[in-house]
Amino acid sequence: SPASRLDAGYTLRGVVEEVAGDKCRTAGGDSTVCGSAGLQARRAGDAQGGDPQAKVALEQAQQALGLTRLTSVDVIHCAQSFALVLEHETGWKIVYSGDTRPCPKLAKAAKGATVLVHEATFDDDMLEEAEAKKHSMTREAIEIGVEADVFRTILTHFSQRYPKIPVFNESYTDRTCIAFDLMTVNLADLEMLPSLLPAMKLLFKEENKEEKGVFEEEAEEN
């Protein structure tokens, strides 16, 4: 399995921090992993476009981190929005979506990835809002992971309408996990990560019920 190729010394947060720079985190509520992650993706895009300085910087980053590939992919959001693809010499592959609507280019880039970190801003009944703001619904993010046949899809960037975690439904698969603030994932532990979902669902059950009730009351008032 993909997990058998992972070095226990690597963590998802650690790898992203090294690539993207300081002030990084894999956070359930953040729009990006960190402010400089988008900059790194743009630099990768510049290198792909032939910028000599960007190409040198990209090669240096790849060598320092043992990466065989570090590249960006245009996604469907605002201008200059990119996903980031990292492939390591030991065999693992991590793809980070950034903010995006479901994106064929991203699905293609994530094919066979060890980890896809994908935004899941909106609940599955909020298609109009998701399309207007160019974000993904939970189900859509999961479907990208399924289409790309990734080992683990980690959902992040949840709307503030959720107290802790997004609404759970039948669209979740045994390959789906969720991120939360300051979460650190050891890549060697990815095998067991989806098994945490039932416990987390029970843990935040009452909070989700209360939050849902508040939003329903607000909707009725409006």
Side-chain angles (χ1 to χ4, degrees):
S1 70
S4 65
R5 301 197 303 269
L6 301 177
D7 184 335
Y10 284 97
T11 65
L12 179 56
R13 184 182 176 200
V15 169
V16 174
E17 283 179 346
E18 287 186 83
V19 171
D22 59 1
K23 299 181 181 177
C24 297
R25 56 182 174 174
T26 303
D30 272 357
S31 61
T32 58
V33 172
C34 69
S36 55
L39 175 60
Q40 186 65 51
R42 286 194 291 276
R43 286 173 178 167
D46 290 341
Q48 291 163 211
D51 185 314
Q53 290 184 330
K55 186 176 181 180
V56 170
L58 184 64
E59 290 174 350
Q60 290 175 342
Q62 289 184 190
Q63 184 177 4
L65 297 171
L67 298 174
T68 59
R69 185 184 180 204
L70 172 57
T71 188
S72 61
V73 178
D74 293 330
V75 293
I76 304 170
H77 193 58
C78 61
Q80 298 295 304
S81 294
F82 302 95
L84 196 61
V85 181
L86 302 86
E87 294 186 46
H88 196 263
E89 58 192 17
T90 59
W92 54 254
K93 176 180 176 180
I94 294 174
V95 180
Y96 183 76
S97 75
D99 293 346
T100 185
R101 285 291 296 146
C103 179
K105 286 185 179 180
L106 176 59
K108 182 178 180 180
K111 193 68 176 178
T114 312
V115 178
L116 167 64
V117 182
H118 199 294
E119 71 121 293
T121 304
F122 290 108
D123 195 7
D124 290 345
D125 60 356
M126 301 183 69
L127 177 60
E128 185 175 341
E129 290 90 340
E131 290 180 335
K133 297 182 179 180
K134 296 184 179 179
H135 285 291
S136 298
M137 298 186 298
T138 302
R139 172 179 49 80
E140 292 174 323
I142 293 171
E143 288 174 349
I144 291 293
V146 172
E147 179 183 347
D149 193 28
V150 303
F151 182 60
R152 292 289 180 263
T153 299
I154 300 181
L155 304 179
T156 188
H157 190 256
F158 310 129
S159 169
Q160 293 302 307
R161 68 182 279 116
Y162 306 123
K164 297 291 181 181
I165 56 177
V167 175
F168 286 86
N169 56 51
E170 68 280 358
S171 67
Y172 280 81
T173 73
D174 59 1
R175 297 185 179 189
T176 305
C177 324
I178 62 169
F180 51 84
D181 288 346
L182 304 180
M183 176 180 177
T184 298
V185 179
N186 191 311
L187 296 184
D189 294 332
L190 288 173
E191 189 83 41
M192 66 180 72
L193 206 56
S195 65
L196 298 177
L197 283 175
M200 295 188 74
K201 185 176 179 180
L202 288 174
L203 183 62
F204 297 113
K205 182 177 181 180
E206 293 304 318
E207 285 88 342
N208 278 334
K209 282 184 177 180
E210 292 174 6
E211 194 76 7
K212 182 179 179 181
V214 169
F215 281 104
E216 287 177 347
E217 290 178 4
E218 291 179 350
E220 289 177 359
E221 291 175 357
N222 295 329

